[in-house]
Each structure stands twice: as structure tokens, then as C-alpha cells.
Amino acid sequence: MSICPCGSNLVLDACCGPIVSGAIPAPTAEALMRSRFTAFSLNHPDHIRNTHAKEMRDADERAAARSSLAAVEWVRLEVLDTALGGMDDDTGVVEFAAHYRENGVMRVHRERSNFRRDGGRWVYVDGSFGPGAGERPGKVGRNEPCPCGSGKKYKRCCGG
């Protein structure tokens, strides 16, 4: 049994797994955002595409043709803030930082995402990118903690 990539510390099958597979809908906007991170991490493009708002699906199809989910390694997710997006809400906002490795370089994608319910299911509408999005964290010394959050020294983790 593997731990869910979304950072919940739960087993995948008890967390985002059933949402990513389509067995159950995400109960909240945050749960959908976490499941989308998990889908990126595990290379499940259907879940990502299926959870885009209808007006965003065409743009998503074009973007998917230009890039591959496998091009980066998604390392860690931090949920920074949420507004609404609960089980009784119709809209919600989730701000997050997704840490990833691309071509051996650690980067951070920061976004404030908008979600809404369509036909009773949460969908991703759009997002605005925060400061530092896609940028490499500041210079990290070999013996400093790794910025990916693993708890290991940089030289034994992402710097190795």
C-alpha cells in the first residue's frame, strides 16, 4: 500500500485514489485539487482533463499535446489557503505550492485556483500564478535540508 502523493499521509486507496479513478466525486474543492496533484504525480491525464471546467477542456487538450506529464517529477504539495469550497458551497478557492523536479532542478509551482460545482461535481475553472511560480528555490547548501520537504539533507536527496 502506498501513501497518497497529495500530502495527506493517508494510504492512496483511502484518499485520492477513488477520486482519481472516478469511483467517487471529490467532496470539496480542496479534495479535487489534491486529487489533481495526485493525478499529475501518477501520470493520470484523464482525471486532469475530466476535472477541468467544460470551457477549459479544449485549451487543456492543446496544452497536453505540447507537453508530457512524465516530463517532471511531482515531489510535494503544500495547501497554503482555502476559501469556501466546502460540501455545501458552489465555488471555492485553493492556494497551493506544488514542488517538482524538472531536468534535475527543483522548482515550485504556486497557484491560487478557482473551482466550482458543475452538475454536482467540483471542477477546476482557472488559476492565477503566484510569485516564484516555476522558479528554482534559493541556493541550497549541500548539508541543508532539502527544499522538497523530505527531511533529508539536500546532498542525499534532490542534490545528489
Side-chain angles (χ1 to χ4, degrees), residues 19 25-33 35-36 47-48 50-53 57 83-94 114-125:
I19 299 170
T28 65
E30 181 180 340
L32 180 63
M33 194 277 311
S35 74
R36 288 172 56 84
H47 178 67
I48 297 162
N50 293 339
T51 57
H52 260 116
R57 287 191 189 143
L84 299 173
M87 296 209 282
D88 296 327
D89 296 315
D90 289 326
T91 62
V93 176
V94 180
N114 297 302
F115 296 87
R116 74 167 183 252
R117 284 194 196 267
D118 276 353
R121 292 183 174 265
W122 285 105
V123 294
Y124 169 80
V125 178

PDB file of all heavy atoms in Angstrom, residues 19 25-33 35-36 47-48 50-53 57 83-94 114-125:
ATOM      1  N   ILE A  19     -11.019   9.004  -6.072  1.00  0.00           N
ATOM      2  CA  ILE A  19     -11.411  10.207  -6.808  1.00  0.00           C
ATOM      3  C   ILE A  19     -10.751  10.197  -8.178  1.00  0.00           C
ATOM      4  O   ILE A  19     -11.397  10.440  -9.198  1.00  0.00           O
ATOM      5  CB  ILE A  19     -11.057  11.486  -6.017  1.00  0.00           C
ATOM      6  CG1 ILE A  19     -11.797  11.495  -4.682  1.00  0.00           C
ATOM      7  CG2 ILE A  19     -11.389  12.732  -6.828  1.00  0.00           C
ATOM      8  CD1 ILE A  19     -11.345  12.590  -3.721  1.00  0.00           C
ATOM      9  N   PRO A  25     -16.900  11.125  -6.461  1.00  0.00           N
ATOM     10  CA  PRO A  25     -16.565  12.523  -6.760  1.00  0.00           C
ATOM     11  C   PRO A  25     -15.835  13.144  -5.574  1.00  0.00           C
ATOM     12  O   PRO A  25     -15.981  12.706  -4.429  1.00  0.00           O
ATOM     13  CB  PRO A  25     -17.939  13.180  -6.961  1.00  0.00           C
ATOM     14  CG  PRO A  25     -18.867  12.362  -6.128  1.00  0.00           C
ATOM     15  CD  PRO A  25     -18.323  10.950  -6.159  1.00  0.00           C
ATOM     16  N   ALA A  26     -15.064  14.173  -5.830  1.00  0.00           N
ATOM     17  CA  ALA A  26     -14.390  14.906  -4.759  1.00  0.00           C
ATOM     18  C   ALA A  26     -15.448  15.626  -3.925  1.00  0.00           C
ATOM     19  O   ALA A  26     -16.299  16.322  -4.479  1.00  0.00           O
ATOM     20  CB  ALA A  26     -13.400  15.904  -5.343  1.00  0.00           C
ATOM     21  N   PRO A  27     -15.401  15.487  -2.600  1.00  0.00           N
ATOM     22  CA  PRO A  27     -16.421  16.132  -1.768  1.00  0.00           C
ATOM     23  C   PRO A  27     -16.218  17.639  -1.598  1.00  0.00           C
ATOM     24  O   PRO A  27     -17.167  18.354  -1.294  1.00  0.00           O
ATOM     25  CB  PRO A  27     -16.295  15.412  -0.422  1.00  0.00           C
ATOM     26  CG  PRO A  27     -14.883  14.918  -0.388  1.00  0.00           C
ATOM     27  CD  PRO A  27     -14.518  14.625  -1.817  1.00  0.00           C
ATOM     28  N   THR A  28     -14.979  18.115  -1.778  1.00  0.00           N
ATOM     29  CA  THR A  28     -14.674  19.533  -1.593  1.00  0.00           C
ATOM     30  C   THR A  28     -13.732  19.995  -2.701  1.00  0.00           C
ATOM     31  O   THR A  28     -13.113  19.177  -3.390  1.00  0.00           O
ATOM     32  CB  THR A  28     -13.982  19.785  -0.232  1.00  0.00           C
ATOM     33  OG1 THR A  28     -12.710  19.125  -0.232  1.00  0.00           O
ATOM     34  CG2 THR A  28     -14.831  19.308   0.938  1.00  0.00           C
ATOM     35  N   ALA A  29     -13.599  21.310  -2.816  1.00  0.00           N
ATOM     36  CA  ALA A  29     -12.660  21.868  -3.802  1.00  0.00           C
ATOM     37  C   ALA A  29     -11.231  21.452  -3.456  1.00  0.00           C
ATOM     38  O   ALA A  29     -10.448  21.104  -4.346  1.00  0.00           O
ATOM     39  CB  ALA A  29     -12.783  23.388  -3.836  1.00  0.00           C
ATOM     40  N   GLU A  30     -10.883  21.466  -2.180  1.00  0.00           N
ATOM     41  CA  GLU A  30      -9.530  21.051  -1.784  1.00  0.00           C
ATOM     42  C   GLU A  30      -9.279  19.591  -2.124  1.00  0.00           C
ATOM     43  O   GLU A  30      -8.196  19.233  -2.602  1.00  0.00           O
ATOM     44  CB  GLU A  30      -9.285  21.287  -0.296  1.00  0.00           C
ATOM     45  CG  GLU A  30      -7.877  20.888   0.117  1.00  0.00           C
ATOM     46  CD  GLU A  30      -7.570  21.109   1.584  1.00  0.00           C
ATOM     47  OE1 GLU A  30      -8.260  21.901   2.257  1.00  0.00           O
ATOM     48  OE2 GLU A  30      -6.601  20.476   2.072  1.00  0.00           O
ATOM     49  N   ALA A  31     -10.258  18.736  -1.900  1.00  0.00           N
ATOM     50  CA  ALA A  31     -10.096  17.317  -2.240  1.00  0.00           C
ATOM     51  C   ALA A  31      -9.876  17.150  -3.741  1.00  0.00           C
ATOM     52  O   ALA A  31      -9.055  16.320  -4.164  1.00  0.00           O
ATOM     53  CB  ALA A  31     -11.319  16.516  -1.785  1.00  0.00           C
ATOM     54  N   LEU A  32     -10.582  17.945  -4.555  1.00  0.00           N
ATOM     55  CA  LEU A  32     -10.369  17.863  -6.001  1.00  0.00           C
ATOM     56  C   LEU A  32      -8.961  18.339  -6.356  1.00  0.00           C
ATOM     57  O   LEU A  32      -8.269  17.702  -7.147  1.00  0.00           O
ATOM     58  CB  LEU A  32     -11.403  18.681  -6.773  1.00  0.00           C
ATOM     59  CG  LEU A  32     -11.197  18.618  -8.288  1.00  0.00           C
ATOM     60  CD1 LEU A  32     -11.374  17.189  -8.808  1.00  0.00           C
ATOM     61  CD2 LEU A  32     -12.137  19.563  -9.003  1.00  0.00           C
ATOM     62  N   MET A  33      -8.522  19.445  -5.751  1.00  0.00           N
ATOM     63  CA  MET A  33      -7.182  19.946  -6.046  1.00  0.00           C
ATOM     64  C   MET A  33      -6.130  18.907  -5.654  1.00  0.00           C
ATOM     65  O   MET A  33      -5.196  18.649  -6.408  1.00  0.00           O
ATOM     66  CB  MET A  33      -6.947  21.267  -5.306  1.00  0.00           C
ATOM     67  CG  MET A  33      -5.747  22.051  -5.777  1.00  0.00           C
ATOM     68  SD  MET A  33      -4.171  21.548  -5.085  1.00  0.00           S
ATOM     69  CE  MET A  33      -4.513  21.485  -3.371  1.00  0.00           C
ATOM     70  N   SER A  35      -6.540  15.686  -5.491  1.00  0.00           N
ATOM     71  CA  SER A  35      -6.626  14.552  -6.429  1.00  0.00           C
ATOM     72  C   SER A  35      -5.985  14.907  -7.768  1.00  0.00           C
ATOM     73  O   SER A  35      -5.383  14.050  -8.423  1.00  0.00           O
ATOM     74  CB  SER A  35      -8.078  14.109  -6.627  1.00  0.00           C
ATOM     75  OG  SER A  35      -8.815  15.021  -7.424  1.00  0.00           O
ATOM     76  N   ARG A  36      -6.079  16.164  -8.167  1.00  0.00           N
ATOM     77  CA  ARG A  36      -5.434  16.582  -9.408  1.00  0.00           C
ATOM     78  C   ARG A  36      -3.914  16.540  -9.268  1.00  0.00           C
ATOM     79  O   ARG A  36      -3.218  16.106 -10.178  1.00  0.00           O
ATOM     80  CB  ARG A  36      -5.918  17.985  -9.821  1.00  0.00           C
ATOM     81  CG  ARG A  36      -7.369  17.964 -10.339  1.00  0.00           C
ATOM     82  CD  ARG A  36      -7.917  19.367 -10.576  1.00  0.00           C
ATOM     83  NE  ARG A  36      -7.098  20.147 -11.477  1.00  0.00           N
ATOM     84  CZ  ARG A  36      -7.164  20.107 -12.799  1.00  0.00           C
ATOM     85  NH1 ARG A  36      -8.028  19.297 -13.404  1.00  0.00           N
ATOM     86  NH2 ARG A  36      -6.380  20.869 -13.540  1.00  0.00           N
ATOM     87  N   HIS A  47      -7.978  12.027 -15.530  1.00  0.00           N
ATOM     88  CA  HIS A  47      -8.582  12.698 -14.372  1.00  0.00           C
ATOM     89  C   HIS A  47      -8.391  14.208 -14.471  1.00  0.00           C
ATOM     90  O   HIS A  47      -9.310  14.979 -14.183  1.00  0.00           O
ATOM     91  CB  HIS A  47      -7.991  12.169 -13.060  1.00  0.00           C
ATOM     92  CG  HIS A  47      -8.537  12.860 -11.847  1.00  0.00           C
ATOM     93  ND1 HIS A  47      -9.850  12.729 -11.446  1.00  0.00           N
ATOM     94  CD2 HIS A  47      -7.957  13.698 -10.952  1.00  0.00           C
ATOM     95  CE1 HIS A  47     -10.055  13.454 -10.362  1.00  0.00           C
ATOM     96  NE2 HIS A  47      -8.915  14.052 -10.039  1.00  0.00           N
ATOM     97  N   ILE A  48      -7.215  14.621 -14.889  1.00  0.00           N
ATOM     98  CA  ILE A  48      -6.944  16.056 -15.016  1.00  0.00           C
ATOM     99  C   ILE A  48      -7.881  16.666 -16.046  1.00  0.00           C
ATOM    100  O   ILE A  48      -8.533  17.679 -15.801  1.00  0.00           O
ATOM    101  CB  ILE A  48      -5.463  16.290 -15.373  1.00  0.00           C
ATOM    102  CG1 ILE A  48      -4.584  15.771 -14.232  1.00  0.00           C
ATOM    103  CG2 ILE A  48      -5.200  17.760 -15.654  1.00  0.00           C
ATOM    104  CD1 ILE A  48      -3.153  15.546 -14.614  1.00  0.00           C
ATOM    105  N   ASN A  50     -10.746  15.433 -17.212  1.00  0.00           N
ATOM    106  CA  ASN A  50     -12.152  15.289 -16.836  1.00  0.00           C
ATOM    107  C   ASN A  50     -12.582  16.228 -15.720  1.00  0.00           C
ATOM    108  O   ASN A  50     -13.776  16.434 -15.520  1.00  0.00           O
ATOM    109  CB  ASN A  50     -12.449  13.851 -16.424  1.00  0.00           C
ATOM    110  CG  ASN A  50     -12.344  12.894 -17.586  1.00  0.00           C
ATOM    111  OD1 ASN A  50     -12.436  13.295 -18.745  1.00  0.00           O
ATOM    112  ND2 ASN A  50     -12.119  11.632 -17.288  1.00  0.00           N
ATOM    113  N   THR A  51     -11.627  16.782 -14.981  1.00  0.00           N
ATOM    114  CA  THR A  51     -11.984  17.678 -13.882  1.00  0.00           C
ATOM    115  C   THR A  51     -11.769  19.146 -14.229  1.00  0.00           C
ATOM    116  O   THR A  51     -11.876  19.999 -13.365  1.00  0.00           O
ATOM    117  CB  THR A  51     -11.200  17.316 -12.597  1.00  0.00           C
ATOM    118  OG1 THR A  51      -9.802  17.358 -12.868  1.00  0.00           O
ATOM    119  CG2 THR A  51     -11.608  15.943 -12.097  1.00  0.00           C
ATOM    120  N   HIS A  52     -11.490  19.424 -15.488  1.00  0.00           N
ATOM    121  CA  HIS A  52     -11.457  20.808 -15.961  1.00  0.00           C
ATOM    122  C   HIS A  52     -12.886  21.255 -16.250  1.00  0.00           C
ATOM    123  O   HIS A  52     -13.707  20.465 -16.714  1.00  0.00           O
ATOM    124  CB  HIS A  52     -10.667  20.920 -17.276  1.00  0.00           C
ATOM    125  CG  HIS A  52      -9.283  21.409 -17.097  1.00  0.00           C
ATOM    126  ND1 HIS A  52      -8.185  20.647 -17.389  1.00  0.00           N
ATOM    127  CD2 HIS A  52      -8.794  22.596 -16.662  1.00  0.00           C
ATOM    128  CE1 HIS A  52      -7.094  21.337 -17.141  1.00  0.00           C
ATOM    129  NE2 HIS A  52      -7.438  22.513 -16.700  1.00  0.00           N
ATOM    130  N   ALA A  53     -13.160  22.522 -16.009  1.00  0.00           N
ATOM    131  CA  ALA A  53     -14.448  23.085 -16.417  1.00  0.00           C
ATOM    132  C   ALA A  53     -14.575  22.931 -17.927  1.00  0.00           C
ATOM    133  O   ALA A  53     -13.576  22.947 -18.647  1.00  0.00           O
ATOM    134  CB  ALA A  53     -14.526  24.554 -16.022  1.00  0.00           C
ATOM    135  N   ARG A  57     -11.576  22.645 -21.256  1.00  0.00           N
ATOM    136  CA  ARG A  57     -11.132  21.351 -21.799  1.00  0.00           C
ATOM    137  C   ARG A  57     -10.429  21.466 -23.138  1.00  0.00           C
ATOM    138  O   ARG A  57      -9.438  20.800 -23.375  1.00  0.00           O
ATOM    139  CB  ARG A  57     -12.293  20.376 -21.887  1.00  0.00           C
ATOM    140  CG  ARG A  57     -12.686  19.893 -20.522  1.00  0.00           C
ATOM    141  CD  ARG A  57     -13.634  18.737 -20.560  1.00  0.00           C
ATOM    142  NE  ARG A  57     -14.095  18.504 -19.194  1.00  0.00           N
ATOM    143  CZ  ARG A  57     -15.305  18.150 -18.872  1.00  0.00           C
ATOM    144  NH1 ARG A  57     -16.197  17.938 -19.819  1.00  0.00           N
ATOM    145  NH2 ARG A  57     -15.633  17.980 -17.620  1.00  0.00           N
ATOM    146  N   ALA A  83     -10.631  28.969   0.581  1.00  0.00           N
ATOM    147  CA  ALA A  83     -11.757  29.864   0.827  1.00  0.00           C
ATOM    148  C   ALA A  83     -12.984  29.205   0.222  1.00  0.00           C
ATOM    149  O   ALA A  83     -12.980  28.856  -0.961  1.00  0.00           O
ATOM    150  CB  ALA A  83     -11.519  31.232   0.197  1.00  0.00           C
ATOM    151  N   LEU A  84     -13.993  29.014   1.043  1.00  0.00           N
ATOM    152  CA  LEU A  84     -15.195  28.288   0.627  1.00  0.00           C
ATOM    153  C   LEU A  84     -14.795  26.912   0.097  1.00  0.00           C
ATOM    154  O   LEU A  84     -13.855  26.314   0.600  1.00  0.00           O
ATOM    155  CB  LEU A  84     -15.997  29.096  -0.394  1.00  0.00           C
ATOM    156  CG  LEU A  84     -16.504  30.455   0.097  1.00  0.00           C
ATOM    157  CD1 LEU A  84     -17.136  31.227  -1.059  1.00  0.00           C
ATOM    158  CD2 LEU A  84     -17.499  30.296   1.221  1.00  0.00           C
ATOM    159  N   GLY A  85     -15.518  26.375  -0.869  1.00  0.00           N
ATOM    160  CA  GLY A  85     -15.169  25.078  -1.444  1.00  0.00           C
ATOM    161  C   GLY A  85     -15.576  23.892  -0.599  1.00  0.00           C
ATOM    162  O   GLY A  85     -15.121  22.770  -0.849  1.00  0.00           O
ATOM    163  N   GLY A  86     -16.428  24.120   0.390  1.00  0.00           N
ATOM    164  CA  GLY A  86     -16.881  23.032   1.257  1.00  0.00           C
ATOM    165  C   GLY A  86     -18.013  22.236   0.637  1.00  0.00           C
ATOM    166  O   GLY A  86     -18.445  22.489  -0.492  1.00  0.00           O
ATOM    167  N   MET A  87     -18.511  21.281   1.384  1.00  0.00           N
ATOM    168  CA  MET A  87     -19.541  20.378   0.863  1.00  0.00           C
ATOM    169  C   MET A  87     -20.856  21.098   0.549  1.00  0.00           C
ATOM    170  O   MET A  87     -21.621  20.618  -0.276  1.00  0.00           O
ATOM    171  CB  MET A  87     -19.764  19.235   1.835  1.00  0.00           C
ATOM    172  CG  MET A  87     -18.511  18.405   1.953  1.00  0.00           C
ATOM    173  SD  MET A  87     -18.700  16.684   2.330  1.00  0.00           S
ATOM    174  CE  MET A  87     -19.012  16.647   4.036  1.00  0.00           C
ATOM    175  N   ASP A  88     -21.086  22.262   1.165  1.00  0.00           N
ATOM    176  CA  ASP A  88     -22.321  22.999   0.915  1.00  0.00           C
ATOM    177  C   ASP A  88     -22.118  24.215   0.013  1.00  0.00           C
ATOM    178  O   ASP A  88     -23.039  24.990  -0.197  1.00  0.00           O
ATOM    179  CB  ASP A  88     -22.948  23.453   2.239  1.00  0.00           C
ATOM    180  CG  ASP A  88     -23.381  22.278   3.092  1.00  0.00           C
ATOM    181  OD1 ASP A  88     -23.797  21.256   2.526  1.00  0.00           O
ATOM    182  OD2 ASP A  88     -23.286  22.385   4.334  1.00  0.00           O
ATOM    183  N   ASP A  89     -20.907  24.401  -0.506  1.00  0.00           N
ATOM    184  CA  ASP A  89     -20.600  25.557  -1.340  1.00  0.00           C
ATOM    185  C   ASP A  89     -20.679  25.212  -2.826  1.00  0.00           C
ATOM    186  O   ASP A  89     -20.595  24.050  -3.199  1.00  0.00           O
ATOM    187  CB  ASP A  89     -19.189  26.079  -1.028  1.00  0.00           C
ATOM    188  CG  ASP A  89     -19.072  26.588   0.389  1.00  0.00           C
ATOM    189  OD1 ASP A  89     -19.975  27.315   0.846  1.00  0.00           O
ATOM    190  OD2 ASP A  89     -18.058  26.251   1.046  1.00  0.00           O
ATOM    191  N   ASP A  90     -20.829  26.238  -3.650  1.00  0.00           N
ATOM    192  CA  ASP A  90     -20.840  26.053  -5.107  1.00  0.00           C
ATOM    193  C   ASP A  90     -19.561  26.552  -5.763  1.00  0.00           C
ATOM    194  O   ASP A  90     -19.304  26.258  -6.924  1.00  0.00           O
ATOM    195  CB  ASP A  90     -22.039  26.776  -5.731  1.00  0.00           C
ATOM    196  CG  ASP A  90     -23.350  26.086  -5.387  1.00  0.00           C
ATOM    197  OD1 ASP A  90     -23.353  24.838  -5.271  1.00  0.00           O
ATOM    198  OD2 ASP A  90     -24.357  26.788  -5.231  1.00  0.00           O
ATOM    199  N   THR A  91     -18.773  27.334  -5.030  1.00  0.00           N
ATOM    200  CA  THR A  91     -17.490  27.815  -5.531  1.00  0.00           C
ATOM    201  C   THR A  91     -16.460  27.685  -4.410  1.00  0.00           C
ATOM    202  O   THR A  91     -16.821  27.591  -3.231  1.00  0.00           O
ATOM    203  CB  THR A  91     -17.552  29.289  -5.977  1.00  0.00           C
ATOM    204  OG1 THR A  91     -17.873  30.102  -4.860  1.00  0.00           O
ATOM    205  CG2 THR A  91     -18.543  29.482  -7.110  1.00  0.00           C
ATOM    206  N   GLY A  92     -15.213  27.691  -4.812  1.00  0.00           N
ATOM    207  CA  GLY A  92     -14.145  27.623  -3.827  1.00  0.00           C
ATOM    208  C   GLY A  92     -12.822  28.039  -4.433  1.00  0.00           C
ATOM    209  O   GLY A  92     -12.659  28.055  -5.655  1.00  0.00           O
ATOM    210  N   VAL A  93     -11.886  28.377  -3.564  1.00  0.00           N
ATOM    211  CA  VAL A  93     -10.542  28.776  -3.969  1.00  0.00           C
ATOM    212  C   VAL A  93      -9.552  27.988  -3.128  1.00  0.00           C
ATOM    213  O   VAL A  93      -9.732  27.850  -1.917  1.00  0.00           O
ATOM    214  CB  VAL A  93     -10.331  30.294  -3.754  1.00  0.00           C
ATOM    215  CG1 VAL A  93      -8.906  30.697  -4.085  1.00  0.00           C
ATOM    216  CG2 VAL A  93     -11.328  31.095  -4.565  1.00  0.00           C
ATOM    217  N   VAL A  94      -8.525  27.464  -3.776  1.00  0.00           N
ATOM    218  CA  VAL A  94      -7.458  26.751  -3.070  1.00  0.00           C
ATOM    219  C   VAL A  94      -6.134  27.331  -3.551  1.00  0.00           C
ATOM    220  O   VAL A  94      -5.865  27.364  -4.743  1.00  0.00           O
ATOM    221  CB  VAL A  94      -7.497  25.234  -3.328  1.00  0.00           C
ATOM    222  CG1 VAL A  94      -6.367  24.535  -2.582  1.00  0.00           C
ATOM    223  CG2 VAL A  94      -8.844  24.646  -2.933  1.00  0.00           C
ATOM    224  N   ASN A 114      -9.319  28.492  -8.833  1.00  0.00           N
ATOM    225  CA  ASN A 114     -10.764  28.667  -8.679  1.00  0.00           C
ATOM    226  C   ASN A 114     -11.471  27.386  -9.085  1.00  0.00           C
ATOM    227  O   ASN A 114     -11.168  26.808 -10.133  1.00  0.00           O
ATOM    228  CB  ASN A 114     -11.239  29.832  -9.545  1.00  0.00           C
ATOM    229  CG  ASN A 114     -10.614  31.138  -9.112  1.00  0.00           C
ATOM    230  OD1 ASN A 114     -10.761  31.557  -7.978  1.00  0.00           O
ATOM    231  ND2 ASN A 114      -9.885  31.772 -10.013  1.00  0.00           N
ATOM    232  N   PHE A 115     -12.436  26.985  -8.265  1.00  0.00           N
ATOM    233  CA  PHE A 115     -13.220  25.777  -8.506  1.00  0.00           C
ATOM    234  C   PHE A 115     -14.695  26.124  -8.428  1.00  0.00           C
ATOM    235  O   PHE A 115     -15.087  27.094  -7.778  1.00  0.00           O
ATOM    236  CB  PHE A 115     -12.900  24.719  -7.437  1.00  0.00           C
ATOM    237  CG  PHE A 115     -11.484  24.231  -7.472  1.00  0.00           C
ATOM    238  CD1 PHE A 115     -10.487  24.903  -6.785  1.00  0.00           C
ATOM    239  CD2 PHE A 115     -11.143  23.105  -8.194  1.00  0.00           C
ATOM    240  CE1 PHE A 115      -9.170  24.463  -6.818  1.00  0.00           C
ATOM    241  CE2 PHE A 115      -9.833  22.652  -8.237  1.00  0.00           C
ATOM    242  CZ  PHE A 115      -8.847  23.335  -7.545  1.00  0.00           C
ATOM    243  N   ARG A 116     -15.526  25.322  -9.083  1.00  0.00           N
ATOM    244  CA  ARG A 116     -16.980  25.462  -8.967  1.00  0.00           C
ATOM    245  C   ARG A 116     -17.616  24.083  -9.156  1.00  0.00           C
ATOM    246  O   ARG A 116     -16.992  23.152  -9.666  1.00  0.00           O
ATOM    247  CB  ARG A 116     -17.524  26.451  -9.990  1.00  0.00           C
ATOM    248  CG  ARG A 116     -17.547  25.928 -11.401  1.00  0.00           C
ATOM    249  CD  ARG A 116     -18.391  26.814 -12.341  1.00  0.00           C
ATOM    250  NE  ARG A 116     -18.419  26.216 -13.639  1.00  0.00           N
ATOM    251  CZ  ARG A 116     -17.775  26.671 -14.705  1.00  0.00           C
ATOM    252  NH1 ARG A 116     -17.048  27.782 -14.625  1.00  0.00           N
ATOM    253  NH2 ARG A 116     -17.865  26.041 -15.859  1.00  0.00           N
ATOM    254  N   ARG A 117     -18.858  24.006  -8.748  1.00  0.00           N
ATOM    255  CA  ARG A 117     -19.623  22.774  -8.961  1.00  0.00           C
ATOM    256  C   ARG A 117     -20.323  22.854 -10.312  1.00  0.00           C
ATOM    257  O   ARG A 117     -20.964  23.847 -10.621  1.00  0.00           O
ATOM    258  CB  ARG A 117     -20.666  22.588  -7.880  1.00  0.00           C
ATOM    259  CG  ARG A 117     -20.098  22.126  -6.576  1.00  0.00           C
ATOM    260  CD  ARG A 117     -21.244  21.641  -5.684  1.00  0.00           C
ATOM    261  NE  ARG A 117     -20.833  21.535  -4.328  1.00  0.00           N
ATOM    262  CZ  ARG A 117     -20.367  20.422  -3.789  1.00  0.00           C
ATOM    263  NH1 ARG A 117     -20.271  19.331  -4.507  1.00  0.00           N
ATOM    264  NH2 ARG A 117     -20.016  20.396  -2.522  1.00  0.00           N
ATOM    265  N   ASP A 118     -20.183  21.815 -11.096  1.00  0.00           N
ATOM    266  CA  ASP A 118     -20.921  21.648 -12.353  1.00  0.00           C
ATOM    267  C   ASP A 118     -21.651  20.325 -12.254  1.00  0.00           C
ATOM    268  O   ASP A 118     -21.008  19.277 -12.111  1.00  0.00           O
ATOM    269  CB  ASP A 118     -19.969  21.597 -13.562  1.00  0.00           C
ATOM    270  CG  ASP A 118     -19.580  22.964 -14.080  1.00  0.00           C
ATOM    271  OD1 ASP A 118     -20.128  23.970 -13.606  1.00  0.00           O
ATOM    272  OD2 ASP A 118     -18.720  23.015 -14.973  1.00  0.00           O
ATOM    273  N   GLY A 119     -22.968  20.373 -12.300  1.00  0.00           N
ATOM    274  CA  GLY A 119     -23.740  19.143 -12.204  1.00  0.00           C
ATOM    275  C   GLY A 119     -23.454  18.370 -10.927  1.00  0.00           C
ATOM    276  O   GLY A 119     -23.446  17.142 -10.933  1.00  0.00           O
ATOM    277  N   GLY A 120     -23.182  19.083  -9.843  1.00  0.00           N
ATOM    278  CA  GLY A 120     -22.927  18.441  -8.564  1.00  0.00           C
ATOM    279  C   GLY A 120     -21.485  18.003  -8.335  1.00  0.00           C
ATOM    280  O   GLY A 120     -21.154  17.505  -7.273  1.00  0.00           O
ATOM    281  N   ARG A 121     -20.623  18.153  -9.336  1.00  0.00           N
ATOM    282  CA  ARG A 121     -19.215  17.751  -9.213  1.00  0.00           C
ATOM    283  C   ARG A 121     -18.310  18.975  -9.253  1.00  0.00           C
ATOM    284  O   ARG A 121     -18.535  19.889 -10.030  1.00  0.00           O
ATOM    285  CB  ARG A 121     -18.824  16.817 -10.359  1.00  0.00           C
ATOM    286  CG  ARG A 121     -19.509  15.473 -10.288  1.00  0.00           C
ATOM    287  CD  ARG A 121     -19.010  14.569 -11.417  1.00  0.00           C
ATOM    288  NE  ARG A 121     -19.533  13.253 -11.281  1.00  0.00           N
ATOM    289  CZ  ARG A 121     -18.902  12.240 -10.673  1.00  0.00           C
ATOM    290  NH1 ARG A 121     -17.699  12.422 -10.184  1.00  0.00           N
ATOM    291  NH2 ARG A 121     -19.456  11.060 -10.583  1.00  0.00           N
ATOM    292  N   TRP A 122     -17.250  18.942  -8.438  1.00  0.00           N
ATOM    293  CA  TRP A 122     -16.272  20.018  -8.444  1.00  0.00           C
ATOM    294  C   TRP A 122     -15.438  19.949  -9.702  1.00  0.00           C
ATOM    295  O   TRP A 122     -15.054  18.865 -10.134  1.00  0.00           O
ATOM    296  CB  TRP A 122     -15.354  19.918  -7.221  1.00  0.00           C
ATOM    297  CG  TRP A 122     -16.014  20.355  -5.954  1.00  0.00           C
ATOM    298  CD1 TRP A 122     -16.475  19.555  -4.956  1.00  0.00           C
ATOM    299  CD2 TRP A 122     -16.290  21.693  -5.557  1.00  0.00           C
ATOM    300  NE1 TRP A 122     -17.032  20.310  -3.965  1.00  0.00           N
ATOM    301  CE2 TRP A 122     -16.927  21.629  -4.310  1.00  0.00           C
ATOM    302  CE3 TRP A 122     -16.070  22.936  -6.139  1.00  0.00           C
ATOM    303  CZ2 TRP A 122     -17.339  22.772  -3.625  1.00  0.00           C
ATOM    304  CZ3 TRP A 122     -16.479  24.069  -5.461  1.00  0.00           C
ATOM    305  CH2 TRP A 122     -17.102  23.986  -4.221  1.00  0.00           C
ATOM    306  N   VAL A 123     -15.156  21.115 -10.292  1.00  0.00           N
ATOM    307  CA  VAL A 123     -14.271  21.211 -11.458  1.00  0.00           C
ATOM    308  C   VAL A 123     -13.310  22.379 -11.246  1.00  0.00           C
ATOM    309  O   VAL A 123     -13.620  23.350 -10.549  1.00  0.00           O
ATOM    310  CB  VAL A 123     -15.034  21.399 -12.796  1.00  0.00           C
ATOM    311  CG1 VAL A 123     -15.861  20.161 -13.114  1.00  0.00           C
ATOM    312  CG2 VAL A 123     -15.897  22.648 -12.784  1.00  0.00           C
ATOM    313  N   TYR A 124     -12.147  22.272 -11.877  1.00  0.00           N
ATOM    314  CA  TYR A 124     -11.151  23.332 -11.872  1.00  0.00           C
ATOM    315  C   TYR A 124     -11.531  24.325 -12.966  1.00  0.00           C
ATOM    316  O   TYR A 124     -11.749  23.938 -14.104  1.00  0.00           O
ATOM    317  CB  TYR A 124      -9.772  22.738 -12.151  1.00  0.00           C
ATOM    318  CG  TYR A 124      -8.695  23.749 -12.429  1.00  0.00           C
ATOM    319  CD1 TYR A 124      -8.070  24.423 -11.395  1.00  0.00           C
ATOM    320  CD2 TYR A 124      -8.286  24.024 -13.728  1.00  0.00           C
ATOM    321  CE1 TYR A 124      -7.062  25.348 -11.642  1.00  0.00           C
ATOM    322  CE2 TYR A 124      -7.282  24.947 -13.986  1.00  0.00           C
ATOM    323  CZ  TYR A 124      -6.680  25.605 -12.940  1.00  0.00           C
ATOM    324  OH  TYR A 124      -5.689  26.511 -13.199  1.00  0.00           O
ATOM    325  N   VAL A 125     -11.615  25.610 -12.616  1.00  0.00           N
ATOM    326  CA  VAL A 125     -12.009  26.649 -13.567  1.00  0.00           C
ATOM    327  C   VAL A 125     -10.783  27.348 -14.137  1.00  0.00           C
ATOM    328  O   VAL A 125     -10.575  27.388 -15.343  1.00  0.00           O
ATOM    329  CB  VAL A 125     -12.964  27.674 -12.918  1.00  0.00           C
ATOM    330  CG1 VAL A 125     -13.319  28.775 -13.894  1.00  0.00           C
ATOM    331  CG2 VAL A 125     -14.210  26.978 -12.392  1.00  0.00           C
TER     332      VAL A 125
END
